[in-house]
Amino acid sequence: MKGSQRSKVYNWENYLPTGDHIPFSKISEVVNDVWTKMGLMYPPLVKEMPKQNTTKMADATRFVLRFGEDGCCYRIVLHEIAHAMTSKVEGVSHQHNEVFVGMYMVLMDRFMKLDPNMLYQSAEMCGVKFTKNEKPRVTNDWN
């Protein structure tokens, strides 16, 4: 099931605006800004993806977001921030499930000004499950 939702999320993203390209040197500034505006302290660090990586554009844990040296689009930065905002300290995360997607939608609404109804409808058309009005879950007590 997890892989199925992940594939659906990636497919859904193909229909969404990408936003501006963010050079790697500016990603940390964007992450810190989003994190603070969401009312959180201690944003994750931004690091460069290992050079030997040939498949991933970015990845995330609660404490570290990694991106390619060329940077990436704003939507991908928000995607990785949503992962960090839905991960426990010890690394357990909501992956691409409905909690993650709901958080991602909140971020795209707030920071990319994408209409929530458009996000909901397009996600539903792609079979993506989500929760509305999600909040960051950077504590140790979620189920």
Side-chain angles (χ1 to χ4, degrees):
M1 181 66 163
K2 207 184 288 188
S4 174
Q5 172 79 353
R6 180 180 179 202
S7 297
K8 290 175 184 176
V9 169
Y10 290 156
N11 179 53
W12 170 58
E13 286 180 313
N14 289 326
Y15 299 99
L16 302 175
T18 59
D20 293 339
H21 179 83
I22 312 292
F24 181 82
S25 63
K26 298 290 184 189
I27 292 175
S28 186
E29 186 179 312
V30 171
V31 170
N32 294 344
D33 183 59
V34 169
W35 203 262
T36 301
K37 286 179 178 171
M38 292 301 292
L40 301 171
M41 296 173 44
Y42 313 112
L45 297 173
V46 172
K47 295 188 175 185
E48 194 172 308
M49 198 63 115
K51 298 273 188 239
Q52 65 270 28
N53 175 64
T54 58
T55 57
K56 288 184 175 181
M57 295 177 64
D59 67 19
T61 67
R62 162 54 191 98
F63 294 109
V64 178
L65 306 182
R66 298 187 308 172
F67 300 92
E69 66 183 344
D70 295 331
C72 61
C73 70
Y74 195 64
R75 189 190 71 223
I76 291 173
V77 174
L78 293 179
H79 179 117
E80 300 308 328
I81 293 171
H83 278 303
M85 287 184 176
T86 57
S87 295
K88 282 188 174 183
V89 171
E90 62 272 6
V92 179
S93 103
H94 282 283
Q95 297 296 321
H96 291 90
N97 76 3
E98 62 275 1
V99 171
F100 160 79
V101 176
M103 185 75 254
Y104 186 27
M105 288 175 164
V106 166
L107 295 176
M108 287 189 289
D109 170 21
R110 182 159 180 192
F111 297 99
M112 290 181 70
K113 307 296 185 216
L114 298 182
D115 176 40
N117 291 321
M118 180 278 294
L119 293 170
Y120 303 154
Q121 290 171 358
S122 61
E124 287 170 351
M125 287 189 327
C126 291
V128 174
K129 295 178 182 166
F130 58 91
T131 55
K132 293 182 180 178
N133 306 312
E134 193 58 62
K135 296 197 179 348
R137 298 183 182 212
V138 291
T139 65
N140 283 329
D141 59 1
W142 53 259
N143 293 319

